[in-house]
Amino acid sequence: MFQINDNYQKLPGSYLFSTIAKKVAAFSEANPDKQIIRLGIGDVTQPIAPAIIEAMHRAVDEMGNAETFHGYAPDLGYEFLRKAIADNDYKARGCDISPDEIFVSDGAKSDSGNIQEIFSVDNRIAVCDPVYPVYVDSNVMAGRTGTYDAQTGMWSNVIYMPCTRENGFVPEFPKETPDMIYLCLPNNPTGTTITKAQLQEWVDYANKVGAVIIYDGAYEAYISETDVAHSIYECEGAKTCAIELKSFSKNAGFTGVRLGYTVVPKELKCGEVSLHGMWARRHGTKFNGAPYIIQRAGEAVYSDAGKAQLMEQIAYYMRNAATIKSGLQESGFEVYGGVNAPYIWLKTPEAMTSWEFFDYLLEKANVVGTPGSGFGPSGEGYFRLTAFGSYENTVAALERIKSI
């Protein structure tokens, strides 16, 4: 008889955002007259920029012509997109990353879950706490995390790096030595980040102990402070210890279009084995490439018109973030984030648990957010709101919260 992967049975409950969706659906069914404002999931709401839409239309026309039709994409992605990425995201910032070190994909979520496949199941992972759930869940599925303690919300073989109010929501070097370190900066869910000098310390640490950093830079376009790195490769020595994941979802509104990329430098090796070569083998075997039309859309992100239009969209969302942050602070909430990332991280009032505050906000204000405990044990007592809604809904949600 066939056997299943028993590691899936270790996962406690549903994926965080699936659980939220079910709770909201049940509330809506029971209260059809209530208009819900969703500030939970980090999904964009503004339409794709005109310059990108135009590029997509041109690519669609090409697909209808035999001379310009495109089938399977190259394993790494089309050269035109990888060169645009290398020139704009790396060379323009002084980073020596070549186009053939860039692997185009359908998004950073997929890559953050898949990247663990090239590492031994015996490796120990270190994660920030709270953390984006995919990092831990994908390692649970692989059998790398040990056993789950329902009382503490922790896995026996995971090294947790608490990010709390006391340390400014910034991870500290773990007491145990990890093999793989997951960093998401600017951070999801707390919205906080670290300076380039602090990031350099992590690179030095990883090189010293022989660890690899999985660096999720999905929110780098929202960085506003000058001393914050946009890429880990701005740090000396990062090419021998870091893999970087990037997304077009949050900077260009591609959540429904799907495009991202991962950088694996050729210098990154385990002994004599190239991780670049391993990821290339995995990528070519299990992925048939992002669509040509979408890769042309990605190229347009780096056009002059695309850059200008996307700066306006990012400013729109960060205006929402500033509005939420200041409004909550005026109402007496303890609030973090909202400066270098489109997330607001707030302390739940009156000692409510994260899920108690979720239910309270949904029932009393008809506003949906994300319980902090869903991101890890150190998230208990906190709550995440996203700035990706419309400005009108953002203002309306704040008024509702203030009135309860």
Side-chain angles (χ1 to χ4, degrees), residues 167-223:
N167 61 16
F169 301 100
V170 171
E172 299 171 358
F173 297 139
K175 293 181 174 61
E176 299 176 84
T177 302
D179 302 299
M180 300 162 62
I181 303 167
Y182 285 81
L183 294 178
C184 176
L185 298 166
N187 184 258
N188 175 18
T190 66
T192 55
T193 194
I194 62 177
T195 65
K196 181 178 177 179
Q198 289 173 306
L199 184 58
Q200 181 66 61
E201 292 177 1
W202 278 97
V203 169
D204 294 341
Y205 170 79
N207 276 318
K208 178 182 178 181
V209 303
V212 62
I213 297 174
I214 311 298
Y215 189 81
D216 187 345
Y219 300 95
E220 67 82 16
Y222 292 85
I223 293 171

Side-chain angles (χ1 to χ4, degrees), residues 221-285:
Y222 292 85
I223 293 171
S224 62
E225 295 178 319
T226 56
D227 63 345
V228 177
H230 287 258
S231 167
I232 195 168
Y233 300 118
E234 293 179 43
C235 297
E236 186 177 351
K239 293 183 72 176
T240 57
C241 71
I243 292 172
E244 184 163 276
L245 317 175
K246 288 285 187 73
S247 170
F248 286 78
S249 289
K250 304 307 194 293
N251 69 324
F254 279 28
T255 54
V257 174
R258 309 308 306 149
L259 190 66
Y261 65 88
T262 289
V263 178
V264 186
K266 293 176 182 177
E267 289 95 323
L268 183 56
K269 295 181 178 181
C270 179
E272 296 301 315
V273 179
S274 165
L275 270 67
H276 179 277
M278 290 183 69
W279 186 243
R281 186 67 171 88
R282 191 264 171 211
H283 206 63
T285 300

